[in-house]
């Protein structure tokens, strides 16, 4: 019978590293695919075995015949993307086994594999060469022996002259040698994707990457032409409507903008329906210096409370906004999430409607990251103060951030607000070139490019200034056309709702006054059922007793019945007492008194 193997009560070093990488989120499988480390004997540029090896200061090995013309043309490191010249390369002196054709350690004569830890020791002088050894030989013969002399040339070196070429246990170095992280690989893939998209667009007229047959291509062309005709007809009709209702729109805009100044809005008129009183009634009750107030009147709403009510109305509409941004490189259609982040969407839509973004330049562009814009356009001949003015929000002050788990910086073409810290949103925004998960819950996402991503790729390819990331070519917003605007609809609904609420309050106040004066009112006030029954029973009472008073002391009623009615009421009370049967309550205890203790 085979012996049962005991369960292992510990973790090996490899298992511990794997679990730690999974917990920290740095595992290669979580990044969207398995790691592809570069084989040791292959060039990082051509991905083929090298013959004349050279390396950079990071320990990445290239073939001298391939890297030299690449550096003369691009002057950047093909792996990291940083600036580099041929002077930054080191010639590697490596020993090769002639029988097997494999590179090996010149001291131990062990062949190098993909699991071997390898180092290179720089030779000084001349300083541009390095001898390659296995880490085992370097550690045993140099570090342990404290003998910092090169094992081949005998030249003295320091720890700074040791360059790590391969270490399977160093996660940082393995990530650097991962083929998926090479800069020139990303560049080639993006160029191929752009060329494929351009070819597809020219052949089929469709923005997708699906290859259609000849018949399907004809059908798609016909559908796209009909769609363009419908869009053009809708645009012309909307323009006609805008021209016809121009004066009406101006009056509504003026009414909405001046409502905060001319029309007084109280807290109980907002969509939140929170009644916050002015405190005059309680103040007059406790202080003799204040005028007497018998009713608790709602206080005036602040500007922030009015904005919050408008944003809540916009959120309840559950509608998306759509704009068309015309740049000097082309047009992009953008969807605005008015139903998720209403205040951020309202700020952007209202600024766009006022034309605040017309002529604004994109002043910052970082490839593989984002492009930022939205500054106030400087007119020709403007002052220097205007050039430094970046502009504020639609409400002339910063507003708070709006975060939602449904809106993240994932993918290309995400619109998000630029800020200088929490609660500092203004008018500047940026559009992402790729996913930026580290910006989630730091910048408010409010839109996404749904059409015109090729324009965004063209903007990304424009060279920039290395010092301030400013595009060397002018990229600006010529105009913004609003296609779907739920913000105006929400503001109109909020204004009508407030007017209706004011009319209801005025009607209720008029009905109270008329009922208090004993006049017939056309609109009945809102009273409870008990008050209605009491008013029907007491028909002979005066008007101040028959109706409910909504002031202080409304429960203190004066009995003004005559004496005969009072006597009848007493007699009826007595008759009621006779008719009532025995009480169900227990009899009261008998009163006893203690004199002395003789009765005990």
């Amino acid at each position: 019978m085979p012996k049962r193997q005991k369960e292992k009560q510990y973790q090996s070093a490899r298992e511990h590293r794997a679990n730690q990488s999974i917990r920290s989120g740095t595992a290669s499988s979580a990044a969207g695919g398995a790691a592809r480390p570069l084989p040791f004997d292959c060039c990082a540029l051509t991905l083929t075995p090298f013959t004349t090896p050279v390396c950079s200061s990071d320990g990445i090995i290239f073939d001298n015949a391939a890297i030299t013309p690449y550096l003369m043309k691009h002057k950047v490191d093909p792996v990291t993307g940083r600036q580099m010249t041929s002077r930054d390369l080191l010639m590697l002196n490596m020993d090769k086994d002639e029988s097997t054709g494999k590179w090996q350690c010149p001291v131990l004569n062990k062949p190098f594999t993909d699991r071997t830890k390898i180092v290179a020791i720089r030779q000084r002088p001349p300083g541009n060469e390095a001898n390659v050894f296995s880490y085992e030989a370097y550690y045993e013969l140099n570090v342990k022996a404290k003998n910092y002399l090169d094992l081949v040339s005998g030249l003295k070196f320091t720890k700074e002259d040791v360059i790590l070429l391969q270490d399977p246990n160093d996660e940082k170095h393995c990530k650097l040698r991962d083929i998926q992280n090479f800069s020139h690989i990303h560049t080639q893939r993006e160029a191929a994707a752009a060329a494929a998209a351009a070819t597809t667009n020219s052949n089929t007229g469709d923005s997708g990457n699906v290859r259609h047959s000849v018949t399907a291509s004809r059908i798609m062309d016909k559908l796209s032409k009909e769609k363009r005709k419908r869009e053009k007809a809708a645009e012309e009709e909307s323009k006609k409507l805008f021209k016809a209702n121009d004066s009406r729109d101006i009056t509504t805009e003026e009414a909405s903008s001046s409502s905060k100044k001319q029309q007084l809005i109280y807290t109980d008129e907002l969509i939140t329906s929170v009644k916050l009183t002015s405190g005059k009634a309680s103040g007059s009750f406790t202080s003799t210096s204040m005028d007497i107030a018998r009713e608790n009147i709602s206080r005036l709403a602040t500007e922030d409370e009015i904005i919050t009510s408008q944003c809540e109305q916009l959120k309840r509409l559950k509608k998306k906004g759509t704009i068309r941004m015309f740049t000097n490189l082309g047009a992009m259609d953008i969807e605005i999430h008015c139903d998720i982040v209403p205040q951020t969407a309202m700020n952007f839509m209202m600024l766009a409607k006022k034309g605040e973004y017309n002529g604004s330049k994109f002043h910052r562009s970082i490839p593989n990251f984002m492009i930022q814009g939205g500054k106030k356009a400087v007119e020709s001949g403007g002052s220097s103060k205007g050039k430094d003015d970046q502009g504020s929000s639609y409400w002339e002050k910063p507003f708070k951030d709006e975060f939602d788990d449904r809106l993240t910086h994932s993918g290309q073409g995400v619109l998000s607000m630029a800020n200088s810290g929490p609660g500092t949103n203004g008018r500047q925004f940026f559009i992402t070139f790729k996913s930026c998960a580290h910006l989630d819950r730091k910048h408010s996402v409010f839109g996404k490019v749904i059409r015109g991503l090729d324009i965004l790729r063209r903007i990304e390819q424009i060279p920039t200034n290395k010092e301030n990331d400013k595009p060397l070519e002018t990229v600006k917003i010529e105009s913004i056309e609003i296609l779907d605007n739920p913000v105006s609809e929400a503001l109109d609904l909020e204004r009508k709702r407030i007017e209706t609420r004011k009319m209801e309050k005025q009607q209720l106040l008029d009905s109270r006054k008329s009922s208090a004066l004993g006049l017939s009112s056309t609109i009945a006030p809102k009273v409870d059922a008990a008050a209605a029954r009491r008013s029907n029973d007491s028909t002979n009472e005066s008007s101040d007793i028959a109706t409910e008073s909504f002031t202080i002391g409304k429960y203190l009623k004066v009995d003004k019945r005559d004496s005969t009615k009072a006597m009848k009421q007493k007699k009826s009370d007595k008759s009621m007492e006779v008719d009532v049967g025995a009480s169900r309550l227990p009899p009261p205890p008998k009163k006893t008194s203690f004199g002395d203790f003789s009765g005990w």
Side-chain angles (χ1 to χ4, degrees):
M1 183 175 180
K3 185 183 291 186
R4 183 178 180 182
Q5 186 177 3
K6 293 183 179 180
E7 185 178 357
K8 191 171 60 173
Q9 301 295 329
Y10 62 90
Q11 278 188 341
S12 64
R14 181 178 299 176
E15 293 172 345
H16 182 70
R17 285 193 300 270
N19 294 335
Q20 185 178 10
S21 64
I22 292 173
R23 287 193 299 269
S24 61
T26 58
S28 59
S29 60
R36 297 181 58 191
L38 179 71
F40 171 74
D41 58 345
C42 289
C43 171
L45 181 60
T46 61
L47 307 182
T48 56
F50 51 76
T51 54
T52 54
V54 294
C55 78
S56 62
S57 58
D58 296 327
I60 306 299
I61 303 178
F62 303 96
D63 196 330
N64 190 25
I67 189 62
T68 302
Y70 184 88
L71 292 178
M72 292 178 64
K73 181 179 180 181
H74 300 284
K75 297 182 180 180
V76 293
D77 190 344
V79 173
T80 61
R82 297 192 297 263
Q83 292 184 353
M84 189 174 72
T85 61
S86 58
R87 296 181 181 179
D88 300 328
L89 297 175
L90 295 177
M91 296 293 297
L92 297 180
N93 300 323
M94 299 178 62
D95 188 26
K96 195 172 188 180
D97 189 0
E98 296 181 356
S99 59
T100 59
K102 295 183 178 180
W103 305 100
Q104 65 179 2
C105 176
V107 178
L108 303 179
N109 292 331
K110 289 184 178 180
F112 293 144
T113 64
D114 293 337
R115 301 295 302 173
T116 307
K117 189 174 181 179
I118 307 169
V119 296
I121 299 176
R122 187 193 294 262
Q123 303 296 302
R124 298 183 185 274
N128 59 349
E129 295 182 5
N131 294 333
V132 181
F133 304 95
S134 64
Y135 182 81
E136 182 182 0
Y138 160 72
Y139 183 75
E140 294 291 338
L141 301 178
N142 291 117
V143 178
K144 275 191 173 182
K146 297 182 180 180
N147 176 30
Y148 291 97
L149 296 177
D150 190 271
L151 301 177
V152 175
S153 64
L155 296 176
K156 191 175 182 179
F157 65 92
T158 60
K159 290 184 178 181
E160 288 75 13
D161 296 330
V162 180
I163 302 173
L164 183 64
L165 298 182
Q166 180 176 267
D167 185 4
N169 298 325
D170 190 347
E171 294 183 2
K172 185 177 180 181
H173 195 265
C174 290
K175 189 175 181 180
L176 185 65
R177 289 176 50 83
D178 191 352
I179 296 176
Q180 296 179 353
N181 298 330
F182 287 179
S183 177
H184 70 96
I185 297 294
H186 285 294
T187 305
Q188 291 177 2
R189 287 177 178 174
E190 291 174 0
T199 305
T200 306
N201 292 337
S202 61
N203 291 338
T204 63
D206 190 14
S207 59
N209 295 327
V210 182
R211 295 182 178 179
H212 302 291
S213 61
V214 178
T215 306
S217 300
R218 291 176 182 173
I219 296 173
M220 295 299 294
D221 290 340
K222 187 177 180 180
L223 292 175
S224 61
K225 288 179 181 178
E226 292 178 356
K227 186 178 180 181
R228 284 195 294 269
K229 287 181 180 179
R230 289 195 303 269
E231 290 177 354
K232 191 174 181 180
E235 288 178 3
E236 292 178 355
E237 186 177 356
S238 62
K239 289 179 180 179
K240 291 179 181 178
L241 290 174
F242 285 148
K243 290 179 180 179
N245 300 330
D246 193 10
S247 59
R248 190 185 307 171
D249 292 341
I250 292 173
T251 54
T252 52
E253 287 181 9
E254 290 177 354
S256 62
S257 62
S258 63
S259 60
K260 301 174 186 177
K261 300 179 181 179
Q262 298 177 359
Q263 191 180 25
L264 299 179
I265 301 177
Y266 295 88
T267 55
D268 60 342
E269 297 169 355
L270 300 177
I271 200 170
T272 52
S273 298
V274 177
K275 185 176 181 180
L276 303 174
T277 62
S278 59
K280 291 182 179 180
S282 59
S284 65
F285 183 72
T286 57
S287 175
T288 57
S289 62
M290 296 184 65
D291 296 333
I292 296 175
R294 295 183 176 86
E295 294 186 4
N296 282 325
I297 303 174
S298 300
R299 67 166 175 84
L300 290 173
T302 62
E303 185 180 2
D304 292 337
E305 291 172 346
I306 295 173
I307 294 172
T308 304
S309 180
Q310 293 173 350
C311 293
E312 182 65 24
Q313 183 73 297
L314 178 60
K315 193 173 184 179
R316 293 184 182 184
L317 274 180
K318 297 181 180 180
K319 291 183 179 181
K320 302 280 188 182
T322 310
I323 66 164
R324 181 165 294 164
M325 182 183 294
F326 293 95
T327 66
N328 57 339
L329 297 180
M332 293 183 291
D333 289 354
I334 301 173
E335 184 183 58
I336 308 298
H337 304 295
C338 300
D339 55 336
I340 303 178
V341 282
Q343 188 169 2
T344 310
M346 183 182 294
N347 174 67
F348 181 79
M349 297 286 282
M350 296 303 289
L351 288 175
K353 189 173 183 180
K354 289 174 61 179
E356 292 288 328
Y357 289 121
N358 295 348
S360 177
K361 296 181 181 179
F362 288 98
H363 60 278
R364 187 183 179 202
S365 177
I366 303 176
N368 291 326
F369 184 31
M370 61 88 201
I371 183 167
Q372 182 176 343
K375 280 187 179 181
K376 198 174 262 187
V378 181
E379 297 180 359
S380 58
S383 61
S384 58
K385 183 179 179 181
K387 292 181 181 178
D388 297 335
D389 184 17
Q390 298 180 0
S392 57
S393 66
Y394 173 70
W395 303 282
E396 300 296 334
K397 62 180 180 180
F399 60 93
K400 63 181 181 180
D401 299 315
E402 290 181 307
F403 301 131
D404 194 281
D405 293 337
R406 292 171 290 179
L407 303 179
T408 56
H409 297 81
S410 59
Q412 189 181 21
V414 176
L415 264 75
S416 184
M417 292 299 296
N419 58 36
S420 57
T424 59
N425 295 303
R427 56 180 291 143
Q428 293 193 41
F429 62 92
F430 62 89
I431 308 175
T432 61
F433 292 140
K434 58 179 292 186
S435 298
C436 307
H438 62 283
L439 300 181
D440 292 343
R441 306 197 75 82
K442 294 181 182 178
H443 296 265
S444 301
V445 178
F446 66 94
K448 186 175 181 61
V449 178
I450 58 177
R451 187 176 181 183
L453 289 175
D454 53 339
I455 305 298
L456 198 61
R457 297 189 193 100
R458 288 174 57 190
I459 296 175
E460 184 181 7
Q461 294 173 0
I462 295 177
T464 59
N465 190 351
K466 299 298 182 182
E467 297 180 358
N468 54 8
D469 299 323
K470 185 177 181 180
L472 299 180
E473 299 179 11
T474 301
V475 182
K476 67 177 182 178
I477 302 173
E478 294 180 348
S479 63
I480 294 179
E481 181 183 355
I482 300 178
L483 304 179
D484 297 325
N485 190 5
V487 176
S488 299
E489 183 180 354
L491 293 178
D492 193 22
L493 288 174
E494 180 69 5
R495 185 173 62 255
K496 291 179 180 178
R497 192 191 60 78
I498 291 175
E499 291 176 356
T500 306
R501 176 61 178 158
K502 284 184 178 295
M503 291 175 60
E504 291 177 355
K505 289 173 62 178
Q506 187 63 34
Q507 290 173 359
L508 185 60
L509 182 61
D510 294 342
S511 64
R512 287 176 181 176
K513 289 181 179 179
S514 60
S515 62
L517 296 174
L519 303 176
S520 60
S521 58
T522 56
I523 301 175
K526 295 181 180 179
V527 294
D528 54 357
R533 287 195 299 270
R534 287 195 298 269
S535 62
N536 293 331
D537 294 338
S538 56
T539 56
N540 295 327
E541 294 181 356
S542 59
S543 59
D544 57 346
I545 300 174
T547 57
E548 282 289 332
S549 176
F550 291 85
T551 58
I552 295 175
K554 64 180 180 178
Y555 299 108
L556 302 177
K557 299 178 181 179
V558 182
D559 192 2
K560 295 185 179 181
R561 294 184 176 90
D562 53 357
S563 58
T564 57
K565 290 183 178 180
M567 292 298 292
K568 292 180 180 179
Q569 183 67 25
K570 289 181 181 179
K571 291 180 180 180
S572 63
D573 292 342
K574 289 181 180 180
S575 63
M576 290 290 290
E577 290 177 2
V578 174
D579 295 336
V580 173
S583 176
R584 295 183 179 182
L585 297 175
K590 296 180 180 180
K591 295 183 179 180
T592 59
S593 60
F594 291 96
D596 53 8
F597 295 98
S598 60
W600 283 36

